[in-house]
Amino acid sequence: MNEQNQHIELARKPRKCPVCDASPVASILYGMPNFSEKLEQELAEGRTTLGGCCIEIDGPLWECSHCKLKIYKK
């Protein structure tokens, strides 16, 4: 099973990816974001990623900035 097919649930946001050990792990921002310098910086640094405008009730909250593993909240 590769990283894209794994379903990992954690109680809180990890500092490093539980699969590839990379950091940072980005918070997924859903909806229509209000772009600002702060958001642009977080996107560039891999601390935030955009999840699209369709919000999933049980969707992932975090994503590895390296391997793109989606991580769900337990």
Side-chain angles (χ1 to χ4, degrees):
M1 178 180 275
N2 68 26
E3 290 88 359
Q4 294 296 328
N5 295 329
Q6 290 187 10
H7 186 91
I8 294 180
E9 294 183 359
L10 299 173
R12 59 184 158 162
K13 181 180 175 182
R15 292 178 186 251
K16 294 183 178 181
C17 176
V19 172
C20 74
D21 207 36
S23 64
V25 172
S27 295
I28 300 175
L29 178 62
Y30 292 99
M32 298 292 289
N34 183 16
F35 282 93
S36 64
E37 286 185 31
K38 180 182 176 188
L39 178 57
E40 293 286 345
Q41 182 177 359
E42 289 175 355
L43 291 168
E45 294 172 354
R47 294 185 293 132
T48 299
T49 189
L50 301 178
C53 58
C54 296
I55 302 169
E56 301 174 41
I57 293 172
D58 293 328
L61 293 184
W62 310 293
E63 179 181 89
C64 174
S65 58
H66 179 71
C67 74
K68 305 301 182 199
L69 172 74
K70 305 272 194 252
I71 305 169
Y72 298 78
K73 184 161 179 140
K74 193 179 264 187

